[in-house]
Amino acid sequence: MLDRTAARATAVIALVLLTAAVPSGSPQGPNQAKPAASEPEVIHFPSGQQMSRSAMGPMFTEVALSPDGRTIAFSASPDGSMEKGVLYVRPLDGSEATAFQGTLGACMPSFSPDGQWIAFWSYPKILKVSLRGGAPVTLTEPGIIPYGFAWAPDGRIIFGTGDAGLQSVPAAGGAQRALTTIDATREASHRLPHMLPGGKALLLTSMVSPMGHATRIEWLSLDTAKRKVLVEDGADGRYLSTGHLVFVRKGALMAAPFDLSRLEITGPIVTVVPRLMQALNAQMSLMNSSAGQYSVSESGALVWASGGAYPDRSSQLFWVDRRGKAEPWTALGTRSVGAVRVSPDGQRIAVTATGYDRGVWVYDIQRKTLARSTPEDAQGWFFPPSWTPDGKRLVFGWTKTTHPTLWWTAADGTGKLEPLTASTSDQRASGLTRDGKYLAFVEQGDQTKSDIRLLRMADRQLLPFAATKAFEAFPEFSPDGRWLAYVSDESGRNEVYLRSFPDGKRTLQVSTDGGMSPLWAPDGRELFYWDVGFTKLMRAAISPGQNLSAGAPALLFEFSSIRSGFLRFYDITPDGQRFLMQKFQPVQAVPVTELRLVRTWFDEVKRVSLSAR
């Protein structure tokens, strides 16, 4: 598991380290109460510096208060990138922050119980540095990205992970050890540990899905490994000596009276900070940490960054004709959309919503109505849908927790989600043959990049088709069912190929300078595909049939499309004259240059909590 996680992290870490942020608002939790009355102090970052962040905003908690509340540590860089981040420390009674030498790339600062050391992560190591200065000390190179640190009184540093449970490493350095195991039937990750009084137990955040927004806060005994769910729809919890549990719910900091001996909330949950920055609702699992941008000291101080959870990404959909003329399609508004699929009769559009209303939706063009096809309580992540040939059902990959498998449901939303496969590998549905007998899908296992397999619908038997050590994805059946278009990197770069179906005996390369995401014309006489940058839609003439041949590819038009890694995200109308596609929208960076501080926050938590009773 650690090797697989490390491979995934390595593949995308450069992107995470170099991208920029947009903090913004989000839906707030229930039981809203007026925020605390006192005006918070503003702590400015050093001139020219801003909080370290990823593409949507800070990915980890980048601020920490010492236990005595006298010192604040944070990670900052000139451009906000994590790779240029440096650890800063500032006394709360002072005005100058000091940069620690040797901490380039530092993020996730966490104080030791005595306040004399700060643990942090700098890819690919977990390190610590003395508050008095000196060179950082490497504790371990975990091979995975940590998600939050907790210093235990017994000399361990406990950290969360993407899918390897909680881990620990001696604060003096040494071998790491697993503390928890993921139950793939109900959760995807354990992260954001925070110690409870006495050092025998802690709070952790259990992510239901790596890319969803469903979270829960649990209690964990370090002696027995027993766990108990304390809060649903909550993340990044901390226990206060006032007898309260505080946590983040969709970008709002919440508080509730809590009985530590019974492990129960004993009063109403109220909002104490309405807009607190939280890494939640991201479309990339590495960024979807659920970490809240706040820290609480034992002395009663609170420091935080304003902003809320990640907002839904606005989508721009266009109808594009064969000359490249793009007409905006506004029927879905600014809804965050992933893939689009036109129904066989051209009268409906199926889309995957990727924001807070995630699921598969269908838009009826004549009626101008949008309706959910998947159940509202089906949380998790939905992959591109495909219509069955009769237009009655939709097939897609879906996961509530860790591994997506193949499912289908009635397109009109009247049915339940029904599984087509059961697997521990990641499966994403592509499309069916026009007779509905075979479904092509992409499978990603522990030993391969990705393979193309088939599901025989009559008996649900799984069949191999293109399964080698190379990357194989984007399978698309030809209209006559005799060929399968797909992408492979067997030559050293991604190219578009055709393979005869069902025998797989003949293979023909179509693209000549790299290619991604092929799409057949409805009559089977053309094959379209994107260049590797998803900015040029190419066209190759096809002579269909058993002895198929392909002409030289040529540019059809230029369009800056969103990118996809395994399946097609765009579609074509049944008459072959227009494409429905989404334009790529870069994220505009907004620097995070200040924090809020309340020194006597515990008094206000008690006041707000009592007023809600």
Side-chain angles (χ1 to χ4, degrees):
M1 179 66 75
L2 292 180
D3 291 342
R4 185 182 182 190
T5 307
R8 289 181 175 177
T10 302
V12 294
I13 192 65
L15 172 64
V16 174
L17 295 177
L18 291 170
T19 47
V22 176
S24 183
S26 71
Q28 296 180 9
N31 304 317
Q32 299 295 311
K34 292 183 179 180
S38 66
E39 188 71 19
E41 301 174 41
V42 178
I43 296 179
H44 296 281
F45 282 65
S47 178
Q49 300 293 312
Q50 54 182 287
M51 182 175 284
S52 300
R53 49 185 164 78
S54 61
M56 295 287 287
M59 186 170 93
F60 308 115
T61 301
E62 300 295 355
V63 57
L65 280 170
S66 61
D68 61 11
R70 296 180 179 180
T71 308
I72 182 173
F74 56 87
S75 173
S77 66
D79 61 358
S81 66
M82 292 168 61
E83 69 167 5
K84 296 180 182 178
V86 173
L87 187 64
Y88 283 83
V89 171
R90 169 186 156 169
L92 284 192
D93 291 333
S95 59
E96 298 295 327
T98 301
F100 275 49
Q101 299 298 313
T103 62
L104 185 65
C107 59
M108 275 183 284
S110 176
F111 278 94
S112 60
D114 62 6
Q116 297 303 304
W117 290 86
I118 301 174
F120 64 94
W121 182 63
S122 178
Y123 179 76
K125 300 176 181 179
I126 296 175
L127 306 98
K128 68 176 183 179
V129 65
S130 171
L131 196 63
R132 296 187 296 271
V137 178
T138 298
L139 303 182
T140 187
E141 188 169 324
I144 47 179
I145 298 176
Y147 285 89
F149 298 113
W151 288 70
D154 63 5
R156 290 181 293 173
I157 296 178
I158 299 169
F159 58 95
T161 68
D163 59 5
L166 294 185
Q167 306 276 318
S168 70
V169 62
Q176 66 194 62
R177 173 174 169 262
L179 298 182
T180 62
T181 302
I182 301 299
D183 179 358
T185 64
R186 62 183 295 270
E187 60 192 354
S189 174
H190 296 160
R191 52 187 63 182
L192 306 175
H194 291 280
M195 297 304 303
L196 288 168
K200 298 295 186 181
L202 55 75
L203 301 174
L204 66 88
T205 297
S206 173
M207 296 286 291
V208 177
S209 168
M211 292 181 288
H213 50 76
T215 58
R216 60 175 71 98
I217 296 171
E218 299 190 16
W219 169 87
L220 170 71
S221 168
L222 294 177
D223 291 332
T224 66
K226 182 181 178 181
R227 290 161 53 191
K228 179 181 179 180
V229 176
L230 304 180
V231 179
E232 294 284 358
D233 192 21
D236 208 357
R238 327 280 172 94
Y239 177 76
L240 309 183
S241 60
T242 58
H244 290 82
L245 184 67
V246 294
F247 58 91
V248 190
R249 175 175 285 168
K250 295 183 175 66
L253 187 61
M254 319 297 290
F258 186 76
D259 188 316
L260 191 59
S261 61
R262 291 160 42 198
L263 298 176
E264 293 178 359
I265 289 176
T266 59
I269 298 174
V270 297
T271 303
V272 287
V273 177
R275 283 174 48 80
L276 183 139
M277 194 173 290
Q278 183 187 17
L280 190 70
N281 196 37
Q283 296 181 24
M284 185 175 181
S285 60
L286 284 177
M287 299 178 188
N288 203 50
S289 70
S290 80
Q293 209 59 232
Y294 78 110
S295 182
V296 183
S297 71
E298 294 175 2
S299 65
L302 167 72
V303 65
W304 78 95
S306 298
Y310 296 154
D312 284 356
R313 294 287 299 271
S314 297
S315 299
Q316 281 188 311
L317 290 165
F318 292 85
W319 288 108
V320 186
D321 67 19
R322 297 175 69 93
R323 296 172 298 173
K325 182 180 178 181
E327 177 185 348
W329 189 49
T330 60
L332 302 183
T334 59
R335 184 181 303 270
S336 182
V337 171
V340 294
R341 289 289 190 275
V342 181
S343 63
D345 62 4
Q347 298 302 306
R348 292 166 294 164
I349 309 294
V351 302
T352 48
T354 57
Y356 284 100
D357 61 352
R358 65 189 58 210
V360 179
W361 296 70
V362 171
Y363 181 80
D364 189 300
I365 295 176
Q366 290 185 337
R367 297 180 180 179
K368 297 182 179 180
T369 58
L370 181 68
R372 184 191 292 268
S373 294
T374 53
E376 189 171 356
D377 61 355
Q379 294 294 318
W381 195 257
F382 291 86
F383 293 86
S386 293
W387 294 90
T388 54
D390 59 9
K392 293 182 178 180
R393 302 180 73 85
L394 289 163
V395 183
F396 41 81
W398 175 64
T399 175
K400 185 177 182 180
T401 55
T402 53
H403 300 289
T405 51
L406 306 183
W407 297 71
W408 66 352
T409 192
D412 62 6
T414 58
K416 298 180 180 180
L417 288 181
E418 299 178 36
L420 295 175
T421 59
S423 175
T424 58
S425 297
D426 293 359
Q427 298 175 331
R428 301 168 177 89
S430 179
L432 295 106
T433 51
R434 283 195 175 178
D435 59 12
K437 292 182 178 181
Y438 292 92
L439 170 69
F441 65 95
V442 176
E443 182 171 86
Q444 187 177 21
D446 291 330
Q447 307 300 322
T448 61
K449 297 180 181 179
S450 67
D451 297 323
I452 295 171
R453 303 189 72 185
L454 306 174
L455 176 66
R456 192 163 61 196
M457 299 298 290
D459 56 6
R460 303 291 194 268
Q461 183 175 348
L462 299 177
L463 306 170
F465 190 74
T468 69
K469 293 182 179 180
F471 166 83
E472 292 127 348
F474 297 101
E476 296 286 338
F477 283 114
S478 63
D480 64 8
R482 293 181 173 182
W483 295 84
L484 187 81
Y486 66 101
V487 171
S488 172
D489 67 355
E490 63 184 64
S491 68
R493 68 179 176 190
N494 289 322
E495 299 283 5
V496 176
Y497 295 86
L498 299 177
R499 179 171 292 187
S500 57
F501 179 81
D503 58 38
K505 293 181 178 179
R506 185 183 174 200
T507 301
L508 176 68
Q509 182 174 333
V510 177
S511 61
T512 57
D513 193 25
M516 300 288 283
S517 193
L519 167 66
W520 291 91
D523 63 5
R525 296 186 177 277
E526 296 170 292
L527 187 71
F528 309 98
Y529 65 89
W530 289 105
D531 69 327
V532 292
F534 284 83
T535 59
K536 298 177 181 179
L537 190 68
M538 308 298 291
R539 170 193 175 275
I542 300 293
S543 296
Q546 192 69 35
N547 298 315
L548 177 145
S549 63
L555 175 68
L556 187 64
F557 57 75
E558 296 188 11
F559 185 92
S560 295
S561 174
I562 61 169
R563 303 180 182 189
S564 56
F566 295 94
L567 300 173
R568 174 170 55 87
F569 271 36
Y570 68 113
D571 210 353
I572 192 170
T573 53
D575 63 5
Q577 297 304 304
R578 293 198 302 169
F579 301 88
L580 182 59
M581 53 184 58
Q582 188 177 159
K583 185 178 285 293
F584 172 76
Q585 295 177 278
V587 177
Q588 182 180 359
V590 177
V592 181
T593 59
E594 62 185 33
L595 300 167
R596 301 288 191 271
L597 170 70
V598 174
R599 296 174 187 260
T600 57
W601 186 63
F602 283 5
D603 294 337
E604 301 197 8
V605 171
K606 290 185 285 186
R607 179 186 65 80
V608 174
S609 184
L610 283 172
S611 68
R613 288 181 179 270

